[in-house]
Amino acid sequence: MTSPTGVTGPAVPTGATGLDRRFRRRAGAVAAALCATAVALGTCAPGAWAANGGPSGDPRTYRTAEDAEKVTGSSSSADAPELTSGLFTDRIKPGEEKYYALDLDARSDVHITATGVPDPGTRITYQDGLQVTLQNTDGDTCDQGDTKGSGATAFPLSAYASRLMGDPDDEACRVKGPYLVHIVREEGDNSDPSSWPLELSVMEEPGLKGAIPAPRPGAEEETDENNTRPAPPSGPAKTRKGGTGFNDARAVGDGVWKDRLRPGETRYFRVPVDWGQRLYARMEVPNAAREAKAGSSFLPHGFRMNVYNPARAPLYDEQVKSYNGDGAKFDHYSNPVRYENRFLDRDSVSGTRFAGWYYVAVTVGPDMVQQFPDGTPVTLRIGVEGHAKASPSYAGDARTAGFGVDDQDREMAEKGLTEAEADSNATLRTFGWAGVGAGSALLLVLAVWLLTARRRAAAAAPQGWPPHPPYTHG
């Protein structure tokens, strides 16, 4: 007869056939249990880290953090819900104002970012935007930031404000007590009428031990426009599918990376940048196919790229670049990450005020479907320049608070993990040896069981039937 593995041998007597069937059935059950154990350990789940989305279909929308707390901001400061360190979600309508309360100490720097999320592919104007203000209960403004849409192309809009203990001009905002976060959704004549999801990030940064360093002479001139570009990273591009937002941004490090975006889609990547280092990011869009360039191929709203610091504050004013079918590129080069940069005026300089995960967001306009009907290929060239320097002497754990870089972050960038994937990997490592032990024990039990079952099968077989038939290939 022919065995299930494709080899032939003598006919098996009836008594042994029943045992063999039960043997295979039980062995299959044990194997299934082993497979289930392996899946639980995350070792045999194919495509476990596969990114969602592809070139076709609707653009993916911004994914808020799963553990974000839902709040409803009030129209009056008297009824403002209280925020703490963490992430919160709300919604905001055109022209709407919302208040939230904070209770701050007199030691920490506090960073607040509001991210409004219009639907991908919708048309927004230069007047659409967000404004966030941090103020004390006397009405004094501690800090204010705003962001505007750019060129009829919707993308997540992030506005940032902070309270800095070392700022000599904000004495009224350095005391312990209640504060208010005031958020306004600004609108124009033809603004998007829909309500936007709103994500709020509140981060507390420990103060320093000892004196706060003064800004370095000349640092104010180390702007993106004045920085001499390094040689862009070269070599074959590796595929890394970006995330929908800050929360599922895909980690990347030095190198050349590629993705394919749907029309109107925004994707996020994150890069670990340590103290003293600089981030170089370049976005490239290739030339369109010859037939796609027939007639007028100029698109005024082709693509954009921006960089955000670990507190999600944008480093640069939003810009959407045109595209004419012949290929295009756009880059940013930050100044070195230094604690004392926070007291400088320009956002592109003061934004590089702490080490940690920096985010690169890229968007392709809805009209890019004319040139790339199957999705727009995008290449990212990422370079982290300079040697890492020692962290400032914090009076607390800045790394846990989200400000700093460690070896695990660099490993995540090397492997291209999202934060959720990295957390899963850490969990697997925590009980990995226990899982290996459990799997080994199951394998040992299976081996003993197989040996016992085979001996029983041999004992039950009619005399003369060999327990190990000399199978030959047929």
Side-chain angles (χ1 to χ4, degrees), residues 138-164:
D138 293 332
D140 298 320
T141 296
C142 305
D143 192 24
Q144 185 177 84
D146 58 19
T147 184
K148 296 286 189 180
S150 180
T153 299
F155 51 84
L157 298 170
S158 294
Y160 166 83
S162 64
R163 193 279 299 270
L164 304 179

Side-chain angles (χ1 to χ4, degrees), residues 121-211:
T122 58
R123 303 288 180 174
I124 62 174
T125 72
Y126 291 99
Q127 295 172 303
D128 286 305
L130 287 178
Q131 182 185 82
V132 56
T133 304
L134 178 63
Q135 61 190 55
N136 61 24
T137 52
D138 293 332
D140 298 320
T141 296
C142 305
D143 192 24
Q144 185 177 84
D146 58 19
T147 184
K148 296 286 189 180
S150 180
T153 299
F155 51 84
L157 298 170
S158 294
Y160 166 83
S162 64
R163 193 279 299 270
L164 304 179
M165 292 302 298
D167 191 341
D169 297 329
D170 282 340
E171 184 175 352
C173 296
R174 299 205 305 267
V175 299
K176 182 181 184 298
Y179 290 79
L180 291 169
V181 177
H182 181 211
I183 297 177
V184 179
R185 179 175 161 188
E186 299 174 321
E187 61 175 337
D189 295 335
N190 298 305
S191 292
D192 176 13
S194 63
S195 171
W196 289 352
L198 183 67
E199 185 170 59
L200 304 174
S201 168
V202 180
M203 301 178 71
E204 291 189 30
E205 180 188 12
L208 289 188
K209 298 176 182 177

Side-chain angles (χ1 to χ4, degrees), residues 388-425:
K389 296 185 178 180
S391 168
S393 297
Y394 279 104
D397 190 344
R399 175 66 189 84
T400 300
F403 308 102
V405 173
D406 60 17
D407 290 339
Q408 183 178 348
D409 296 331
R410 298 183 183 94
E411 180 185 3
M412 290 168 62
E414 181 180 350
K415 294 181 177 179
L417 303 179
T418 66
E419 187 172 5
E421 293 167 354
D423 289 343
S424 297
N425 274 5

Side-chain angles (χ1 to χ4, degrees), residues 71-391:
V71 296
T72 301
S74 64
S75 58
S76 168
S77 59
D79 303 316
E82 186 169 346
L83 306 180
T84 57
S85 295
L87 295 171
F88 303 84
T89 58
D90 200 351
R91 297 192 73 89
I92 192 165
K93 300 175 182 177
E96 190 172 16
E97 300 185 34
K98 296 214 167 192
Y99 284 91
Y100 309 86
L102 284 175
D103 188 15
L104 303 184
D105 60 28
R107 302 180 305 276
S108 306
D109 289 355
V110 180
H111 310 277
I112 303 105
T113 300
T115 300
V117 188
D119 286 336
T122 58
R123 303 288 180 174
I124 62 174
T125 72
Y126 291 99
Q127 295 172 303
D128 286 305
L130 287 178
Q131 182 185 82
V132 56
T133 304
L134 178 63
Q135 61 190 55
N136 61 24
T137 52
D138 293 332
D140 298 320
T141 296
C142 305
D143 192 24
Q144 185 177 84
D146 58 19
T147 184
K148 296 286 189 180
S150 180
T153 299
F155 51 84
L157 298 170
S158 294
Y160 166 83
S162 64
R163 193 279 299 270
L164 304 179
M165 292 302 298
D167 191 341
D169 297 329
D170 282 340
E171 184 175 352
C173 296
R174 299 205 305 267
V175 299
K176 182 181 184 298
Y179 290 79
L180 291 169
V181 177
H182 181 211
I183 297 177
V184 179
R185 179 175 161 188
E186 299 174 321
E187 61 175 337
D189 295 335
N190 298 305
S191 292
D192 176 13
S194 63
S195 171
W196 289 352
L198 183 67
E199 185 170 59
L200 304 174
S201 168
V202 180
M203 301 178 71
E204 291 189 30
E205 180 188 12
L208 289 188
K209 298 176 182 177
I212 296 174
R216 297 193 180 193
E220 190 76 43
E221 282 71 46
E222 289 179 326
T223 63
D224 183 51
E225 297 85 356
N226 295 336
N227 286 333
T228 301
R229 273 29 181 182
S234 59
K238 299 179 181 179
T239 299
R240 289 277 171 92
K241 292 187 179 298
T244 66
F246 295 109
N247 304 296
D248 59 354
R250 178 77 47 186
V252 295
D254 287 339
V256 186
W257 315 101
K258 62 181 179 180
D259 198 356
R260 185 179 289 267
L261 278 66
R262 299 162 177 162
E265 191 168 52
T266 299
R267 292 193 180 176
Y268 284 71
F269 303 83
R270 59 181 187 157
V271 187
V273 183
D274 213 337
W275 297 102
Q277 294 184 322
R278 313 173 75 164
L279 173 62
Y280 177 75
R282 179 161 111 168
M283 176 185 183
E284 298 174 355
V285 180
N287 61 290
R290 183 183 300 275
E291 57 270 20
K293 292 192 289 185
S296 176
S297 59
F298 178 76
L299 301 176
H301 311 301
F303 65 97
R304 51 79 72 163
M305 178 185 76
N306 207 344
V307 179
Y308 304 79
N309 69 19
R312 306 184 175 192
L315 297 193
Y316 311 102
D317 293 334
E318 296 292 358
Q319 298 182 52
V320 173
K321 300 295 184 179
S322 62
Y323 181 79
N324 64 5
D326 293 330
K329 62 181 182 293
F330 181 56
D331 67 0
H332 283 303
Y333 187 34
S334 78
N335 63 308
V337 174
R338 302 178 184 132
Y339 185 93
E340 58 269 26
N341 287 348
R342 66 191 62 206
F343 305 116
L344 300 174
D345 291 334
R346 298 174 66 105
D347 290 342
S348 61
V349 180
S350 65
T352 53
R353 59 183 63 179
F354 23 57
W357 288 105
Y358 280 71
Y359 300 88
V360 179
V362 297
T363 304
V364 297
D367 294 339
M368 289 291 280
V369 70
Q370 300 174 27
Q371 308 289 356
F372 301 99
D374 295 326
T376 302
V378 168
T379 298
L380 276 181
R381 299 183 188 272
I382 300 293
V384 179
E385 306 293 329
H387 297 290
K389 296 185 178 180
S391 168

Side-chain angles (χ1 to χ4, degrees), residues 404-470:
V405 173
D406 60 17
D407 290 339
Q408 183 178 348
D409 296 331
R410 298 183 183 94
E411 180 185 3
M412 290 168 62
E414 181 180 350
K415 294 181 177 179
L417 303 179
T418 66
E419 187 172 5
E421 293 167 354
D423 289 343
S424 297
N425 274 5
T427 301
L428 290 175
R429 282 196 295 265
T430 299
F431 66 85
W433 285 109
V436 170
S440 299
L442 282 173
L443 288 173
L444 180 60
V445 170
L446 178 60
V448 173
W449 186 86
L450 291 174
L451 180 60
T452 303
R454 187 176 290 276
R455 287 176 176 173
R456 288 177 178 172
Q463 189 173 4
W465 178 63
H468 300 287

